[in-house]
């Protein structure tokens, strides 16, 4: 009987999203709100906390790395600083991957939201997270990365260029289907006067030469003109980076992001979830026109 259950479970499609991004991007809040939203539309999901320093969770975690190891443990035992301890903890989880896998198998869910640490080195240079999720993919988990950065960075060209470079590096490092998100979209209203271009310019990452012109008006921009131009050229050559806006307080915003994630990790194609025609149209590639998306996403924040 037990073998039959194991066989049945392995045949069930498994899906997940890896929520990453710098500190302050709103990852934990997003995990909480997205889980609530998925439950509301009838999709059972669980949140897995992989941040060993996350002692202020807004959600109830189904799996918590802090039951295995914490940053405080690593700092005290090995005399490490916070950053070194965080890296050690994630590498410890990689070494003890079976612990995570056993925990996942015990859950009565096929959809997982992984709340990851905010240290950018973990998804740009260190391979521990990448290796963990590669193993899960090999075991049949259909995953995508959801990369959150704060939307107010659009107001300053230098910071936005940094976000583009970070997003591109992360996409190449993680090697998974990827959704880039400008979080806290309600803040765009506060920075409206500082935006040299409309919001579509930033979400679609349009001709960045115009952004270089804004940067060159400053003394610092002139000094590093060639470096900035090289960075912009590299981002444009890859043509991979674009963003979705997110306001976790608006269900319409969560719905559009969910649809994009469902396409990225394949949920929309194989979950067997009952859908009406409107949901199917919303999830279809290219179903929503650019003008409709801009009107829905941006108008509430930019007058």
């Amino acid at each position: 009987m037990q073998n039959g259950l194991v066989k049945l479970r392995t045949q069930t499609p498994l899906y997940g999203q890896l929520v990453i991004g710098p500190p302050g991007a709103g990852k934990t809040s997003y995990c909480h709100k997205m889980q609530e939203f998925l439950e509301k539309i009838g999709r059972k999901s669980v949140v897995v906390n992989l941040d060993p320093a996350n002692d202020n969770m807004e959600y109830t975690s189904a799996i918590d790395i802090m039951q295995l190891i914490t940053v405080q443990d690593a700092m005290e035992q090995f005399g490490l600083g916070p950053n070194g301890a965080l890296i050690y903890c994630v590498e410890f989880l990689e070494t003890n991957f079976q612990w995570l896998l056993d925990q996942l198998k015990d859950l009565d869910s096929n959809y997982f939201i992984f709340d990851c640490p905010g240290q950018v080195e973990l998804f740009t240079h260190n391979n521990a997270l990448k290796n963990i999720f590669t193993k899960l993919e090999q075991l049949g988990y259909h995953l995508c990365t959801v990369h959150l950065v704060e939307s107010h960075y659009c107001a300053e060209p230098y910071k936005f260029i940094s976000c583009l470079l970070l997003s591109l590096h992360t996409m190449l490092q993680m090697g998974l289907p990827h959704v880039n998100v400008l979080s806290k979209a309600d803040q765009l209203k506060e920075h409206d006067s500082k935006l040299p271009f409309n919001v579509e310019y930033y979400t679609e990452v349009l001709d960045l030469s115009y952004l270089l012109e804004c940067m060159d008006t400053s003394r610092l921009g002139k000094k590093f003109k060639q470096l900035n131009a090289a960075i912009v050229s590299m981002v444009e050559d890859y043509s991979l980076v674009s963003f979705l806006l997110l306001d976790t307080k608006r269900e319409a915003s969560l719905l559009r992001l969910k649809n994009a994630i469902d396409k990225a990790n394949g949920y929309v194609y194989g979950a067997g979830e009952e859908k009406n025609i409107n949901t199917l149209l919303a999830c279809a590639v290219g179903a929503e026109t650019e003008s409709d998306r801009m009107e829905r996403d941006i108008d509430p924040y930019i007058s």
Side-chain angles (χ1 to χ4, degrees), residues 13-264:
L14 301 169
Y15 301 91
Q17 48 179 289
L18 286 52
V19 184
I20 64 176
K27 297 184 296 297
T28 297
S29 295
Y30 164 78
C31 292
H32 174 57
K33 294 293 185 181
M34 180 56 77
Q35 183 191 31
E36 284 187 340
F37 179 74
L38 293 177
E39 295 284 346
K40 185 175 292 188
I41 65 174
R43 183 186 306 181
K44 186 173 183 179
S45 62
V46 296
V47 181
V48 178
N49 176 45
L50 296 185
D51 184 354
N54 189 359
D55 53 2
N56 191 27
M57 288 179 284
E58 300 178 25
Y59 52 79
T60 300
S61 60
I63 302 174
D64 188 355
I65 187 178
M66 297 181 73
Q67 295 178 348
L68 177 68
I69 190 171
T70 68
V71 165
Q72 190 64 34
D73 292 338
M75 291 175 64
E76 292 177 357
Q77 185 170 352
F78 301 106
L80 298 171
N83 290 341
L86 186 55
I87 293 174
Y88 176 87
C89 290
V90 176
E91 292 177 345
F92 186 79
L93 177 63
E94 180 189 3
T95 302
N96 293 273
F97 173 77
Q98 190 62 43
W99 175 86
L100 176 62
L101 186 60
D102 290 342
Q103 298 272 332
L104 290 170
K105 288 180 178 179
D106 288 341
L107 296 177
D108 182 23
S109 177
N110 73 325
Y111 197 95
F112 308 91
I113 303 173
F114 296 92
D115 187 5
C116 298
Q119 189 174 357
V120 296
E121 293 92 329
L122 292 171
F123 44 87
T124 58
H125 295 81
N126 188 278
N127 287 324
L129 280 179
K130 176 182 179 180
N131 293 340
I132 289 170
F133 292 116
T134 297
K135 290 178 183 177
L136 288 178
E137 271 206 313
Q138 293 170 347
L139 292 170
Y141 288 75
H142 304 277
L143 305 172
C144 77
T145 302
V146 181
H147 185 206
L148 274 61
V149 294
E150 293 183 74
S151 60
H152 70 78
Y153 290 142
C154 295
E156 299 185 45
Y158 294 104
K159 290 183 179 180
F160 185 65
I161 291 294
S162 297
C163 289
L164 293 176
L165 192 59
L166 175 62
S167 298
L168 177 60
H169 194 169
T170 301
M171 295 172 76
L172 298 176
Q173 167 72 6
M174 296 300 292
L176 290 170
H178 199 95
V179 180
N180 289 308
V181 179
L182 291 174
S183 63
K184 305 179 182 179
D186 53 304
Q187 294 182 356
L188 287 175
K189 189 73 172 179
E190 303 172 17
H191 299 277
D192 184 13
S193 61
K194 298 180 181 179
L195 295 178
F197 309 104
N198 60 33
V199 179
E200 182 181 7
Y201 177 88
Y202 300 95
T203 56
E204 299 303 318
V205 189
L206 301 176
D207 190 347
L208 295 177
S209 61
Y210 294 109
L211 200 63
L212 283 175
E213 294 176 5
C214 296
M215 297 165 70
D216 289 344
T217 58
S218 70
R219 180 180 177 183
L220 189 63
K222 292 179 180 178
K223 182 177 180 180
F224 294 102
K225 181 177 181 179
Q226 290 184 334
L227 176 61
N228 294 329
I231 293 174
V232 163
S233 176
M234 182 178 64
V235 172
E236 290 184 326
D237 286 345
Y238 277 96
S239 298
L240 292 175
V241 183
S242 61
F243 295 94
L244 294 174
L245 288 172
L246 171 66
D247 181 355
T248 57
K249 296 187 289 294
R250 300 179 64 240
E251 289 191 349
S253 182
L254 288 168
L255 173 62
R256 282 186 287 280
L257 181 54
K258 178 209 67 89
N259 290 340
I261 294 169
D262 284 353
K263 288 185 290 183

